[in-house]
Amino acid sequence: MSLCRRVVPVSEPMVLAEEVRKSFGPVEVLKGISLQVDPGQVLCVIGPSGSGKSTFVRCINHLEKIDGGRLLVDGHLVGYRRVGTKLHELRENEIAKRREDVGMVFQHFNLFPHMSVLENLIEAPTRVRKRPKAEAITSARTLLAQVGLSEKEKAYPAQLSGGQQQRVAIARALAMQPKLMLFDEPTSALDPELVGEVLDVMKQLAQGGMTMVVVTHEMGFAREVADELVFMDAGVVVEKGNPREVLANPQHERTRAFLSKVL
């Protein structure tokens, strides 16, 4: 069953990757990745460990610097500005400013352990966006209700389950009102019975029209929520297309081999 999605007018791509390359020492991890994500779309990226999918999503937020190609978010080069024919890396404060519009949720929750749930949510909006504290608290409480954790605002991360911590991490990213949400295997560190509660929150975001790039092993989620599914292996895009078609009838032998082990 497909989700009923809010229609978002399409302008320029939210994410545009053109022949993106990345190496760690002599190992080329990304070998010319070209992908496009339009506003309001959900792109799910699957593949075996070491395929480059997490590196790619980290490059979108300039947590990793690309070595070649072009990567743009909302029409802006990621981490660079063009002067004539040359690219110049932005200063760290300029990069941080660009990151304000991109939320990211990692495998591990990375919450501030010494802060309550509510304090975790208002930290960045008040310090970075300079929002009034009362306004940030009101917004944070709305987000906690959205992820089903209103009663946990005074709790500390150590008092929460893994699934609850990850839902707080999603709410914290949303507190910055991002244009784009990146998820790097957000359920892989969770006990199986806690996975569903996090996926439910992500489905709600998709229904609301949030643009999302999701690295995941949850094939059911990809089938139901994604507009496009990408299978990566050894640093290249092996296959991409409608998730239901790719999962039911993969065209590439490497895709078939991978899916035979995970479905």
Side-chain angles (χ1 to χ4, degrees):
M1 180 181 69
S2 61
L3 292 169
C4 180
R5 299 283 286 282
R6 178 169 66 85
V7 177
V8 178
V10 174
S11 50
E12 61 185 344
M14 182 61 71
V15 179
L16 181 63
E18 297 177 333
E19 293 296 318
V20 169
R21 297 182 176 274
K22 172 66 182 177
S23 297
F24 293 106
V27 180
E28 191 174 25
V29 179
L30 300 178
K31 303 173 183 177
I33 301 295
S34 295
L35 292 171
Q36 178 175 319
V37 186
D38 291 325
Q41 281 196 323
V42 177
L43 173 72
C44 281
V45 185
I46 63 172
S49 297
S51 60
K53 55 192 188 298
S54 290
T55 297
F56 174 68
V57 82
R58 289 174 63 86
C59 287
I60 295 175
N61 212 12
H62 204 60
L63 294 175
E64 300 288 356
K65 300 177 185 179
I66 66 174
D67 298 320
R70 288 203 318 160
L71 187 52
L72 294 91
V73 171
D74 198 25
H76 298 285
L77 286 168
V78 174
Y80 300 89
R81 66 174 176 273
R82 185 181 298 278
V83 180
T85 59
K86 294 184 178 181
L87 291 181
H88 298 267
E89 187 168 13
L90 297 175
R91 294 190 296 270
E92 191 57 42
N93 64 328
E94 294 174 304
I95 294 170
K97 186 69 176 175
R98 293 272 177 89
R99 284 199 187 114
E100 291 178 17
D101 292 325
V102 182
M104 188 157 186
V105 178
F106 300 87
Q107 297 178 32
H108 298 285
F109 327 119
N110 298 329
L111 299 175
F112 299 119
H114 62 290
M115 292 184 181
S116 70
V117 165
L118 187 66
E119 290 168 338
N120 265 278
L121 264 63
I122 68 172
E123 176 73 5
T126 55
R127 287 185 178 270
V128 179
R129 296 277 199 192
K130 306 301 182 185
R131 291 193 189 125
K133 186 174 181 180
E135 177 186 312
I137 289 174
T138 298
S139 175
R141 285 175 172 156
T142 299
L143 288 168
L144 287 175
Q146 183 179 338
V147 301
L149 291 172
S150 293
E151 77 285 359
K152 298 293 186 181
E153 70 170 60
K154 294 181 181 179
Y156 286 82
Q159 298 171 307
L160 305 177
S161 70
Q164 289 171 333
Q165 289 188 62
Q166 193 63 297
R167 282 187 281 159
V168 172
I170 293 172
R172 184 176 64 174
L174 292 173
M176 291 291 284
Q177 300 180 343
K179 298 176 181 177
L180 169 68
M181 284 287 287
L182 308 175
F183 294 87
D184 185 9
E185 299 187 20
T187 60
S188 64
L190 300 178
D191 292 333
E193 66 268 22
L194 301 177
V195 168
E197 62 190 56
V198 174
L199 295 181
D200 285 344
V201 170
M202 295 170 65
K203 290 175 186 177
Q204 291 173 24
L205 292 179
Q207 287 175 310
M210 175 61 73
T211 312
M212 297 160 59
V213 178
V214 184
V215 175
T216 185
H217 292 294
E218 302 294 336
M219 301 302 160
F221 173 85
R223 182 186 293 107
E224 182 180 356
V225 177
D227 296 292
E228 185 169 50
L229 182 67
V230 168
F231 172 65
M232 287 181 61
D233 187 38
V236 300
V237 173
V238 176
E239 188 165 344
K240 62 182 177 179
N242 180 288
R244 287 157 291 284
E245 295 175 3
V246 172
L247 293 173
N249 187 30
Q251 300 300 300
H252 196 283
E253 175 57 37
R254 182 67 188 92
T255 315
R256 288 195 290 270
F258 174 78
L259 291 176
S260 70
K261 296 175 182 177
V262 299
L263 290 178

